[in-house]
């Protein structure tokens, strides 16, 4: 079973090491000692904790759709020419980039600071693991 040091867990969860230590002290996460005497968290427990802690903002679009991957965020940059545009959103810790027509950018009123939802529907999703992970 994979294990993560508290500093690694903090980085994966996007919080400080101190926050993870507080969660351990409060009993929200269970840490054990590894062979070197360092505090570690079981990978499966960390994954469940991460899922429970994830609090995505409500989707303001109120539209029903089959796509399940929705990322609510703020537009941070729009680069457009006469025909095409590149729109960047910051959705929590994730940067999402979309290519669309400049006409769509105008119709949607996309500009830095605008709240938007990136909806991703793909038939191919690539999953990678760090080299040597098993």
């Amino acid at each position: 079973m994979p294990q993560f040091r508290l500093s690694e867990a903090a980085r994966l969860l996007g919080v400080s090491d101190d926050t993870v230590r507080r969660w351990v002290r409060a009993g929200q996460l269970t840490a054990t000692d590894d062979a070197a005497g360092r505090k570690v968290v079981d990978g499966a427990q960390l994954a469940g904790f991460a899922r429970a802690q994830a609090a995505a903002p409500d989707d303001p679009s109120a539209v029903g759709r089959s796509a399940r991957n929705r990322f609510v965020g703020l537009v941070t940059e729009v680069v457009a020419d006469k025909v095409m545009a590149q729109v960047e959103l910051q959705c929590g810790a994730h940067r999402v980039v979309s290519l669309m027509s400049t006409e769509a950018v105008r119709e949607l009123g996309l500009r830095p600071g605008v709240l938007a939802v990136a909806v991703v529907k793909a038939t191919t999703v690539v999953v990678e693991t760090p080299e040597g992970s098993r």
Side-chain angles (χ1 to χ4, degrees):
M1 193 62 74
Q3 294 181 325
F4 296 92
R5 292 190 325 231
L6 298 189
S7 61
E8 293 171 324
R11 215 172 22 259
L12 290 168
L13 294 171
V15 298
S16 71
D17 297 7
D18 287 338
T19 298
V20 172
R21 283 192 280 277
R22 279 195 296 275
W23 286 335
V24 168
R25 280 194 301 272
Q28 294 175 278
L29 272 173
T30 302
T32 58
D33 292 333
D34 67 6
R38 297 174 298 205
K39 294 285 185 196
V40 293
V41 177
D42 172 76
Q45 182 195 13
L46 186 61
F49 185 80
R51 176 178 273 175
Q53 291 296 310
D58 290 332
D59 184 340
S61 63
V63 173
R65 61 179 70 86
S66 64
R68 298 288 177 240
N69 301 308
R70 300 177 188 153
F71 302 93
V72 178
L74 293 172
V75 175
T76 57
E77 185 175 10
V78 177
V79 178
D81 62 20
K82 285 180 129 178
V83 177
M84 293 300 295
Q86 176 179 308
V87 179
E88 292 188 19
L89 287 85
Q90 192 65 41
C91 305
H94 305 284
R95 175 179 166 255
V96 178
V97 180
S98 178
L99 301 177
M100 65 184 73
S101 70
T102 299
E103 179 182 24
V105 168
R106 279 194 305 272
E107 288 176 359
L108 294 170
L110 298 175
R111 63 187 182 287
V114 168
L115 178 66
V117 180
V119 180
V120 179
K121 180 143 183 155
T123 57
T124 303
V125 176
V126 177
V127 176
E128 301 175 336
T129 61
E131 186 177 340
S133 291
R134 300 248 189 272

